[in-house]
Amino acid sequence: MKLSTPMTACIILSMLLLLAGGCATTIPATEFTTKYATNINVPNPDLAELPCRIFLGRHKDYYRIKDVIPHGQGGGFFGKTVVWKCPTAELPKDFPEAYQPGDMIIDGRKGAKYKYMIQAYQGKKRD
């Protein structure tokens, strides 16, 4: 009985750490801008819980996008969270201003005025 309590505590702690942190994956600039400009895939639109893509903005030397995929949409038993990141130096100088976001991407930046990025999009005027 003494052995099971610490083991259970370790299992619960490791699961909480996995759920809280998610996975962080560094991807190339072309793939990152493609994810920014498109919506996340919704395999089963009839379910109440839908996956979502959240633009987190710049954090230190990386831009980040978070995908949250619930269990019923292919996220595994507990659901899945993936943070996609790309070094700022690899992205074009005019990112994100010159790129139109997907129409359902959520603006997760602190102090964001709108919930969806498309509402806040104001592209540069090109001559």
Side-chain angles (χ1 to χ4, degrees):
M1 192 64 152
K2 287 184 179 183
L3 181 62
S4 66
T5 303
M7 186 183 300
T8 304
C10 287
I11 291 171
I12 290 172
L13 180 62
S14 63
M15 290 179 74
L16 287 174
L17 288 173
L18 285 172
L19 290 174
C23 301
T25 305
T26 303
I27 56 176
T30 53
E31 188 177 346
F32 189 86
T33 54
T34 300
K35 286 188 183 300
Y36 176 79
T38 58
N39 297 323
I40 192 167
N41 184 31
V42 180
N44 191 351
D46 296 330
L47 291 179
E49 290 185 339
L50 297 174
C52 63
R53 177 163 285 157
I54 305 164
F55 180 63
L56 300 173
R58 186 174 178 169
H59 181 72
K60 297 185 181 179
D61 294 333
Y62 290 92
Y63 273 100
R64 301 175 306 148
I65 293 173
K66 179 168 70 170
D67 287 352
V68 179
I69 307 163
H71 165 71
Q73 299 288 351
F77 188 69
F78 293 109
K80 180 166 121 178
T81 298
V82 181
V83 176
W84 306 102
K85 63 182 185 174
C86 183
T88 305
E90 290 182 17
L91 289 164
K93 298 273 187 237
D94 56 357
F95 182 83
E97 292 83 11
Y99 290 81
Q100 184 168 348
D103 58 348
M104 294 303 289
I105 189 168
I106 296 172
D107 194 347
R109 298 174 291 178
K110 289 183 179 178
K113 184 176 179 181
Y114 300 104
K115 182 174 181 175
Y116 295 104
M117 292 292 295
I118 194 70
Q119 293 172 317
Y121 172 71
Q122 295 177 359
K124 287 184 177 180
K125 293 182 181 177
R126 298 186 188 236
D127 296 324

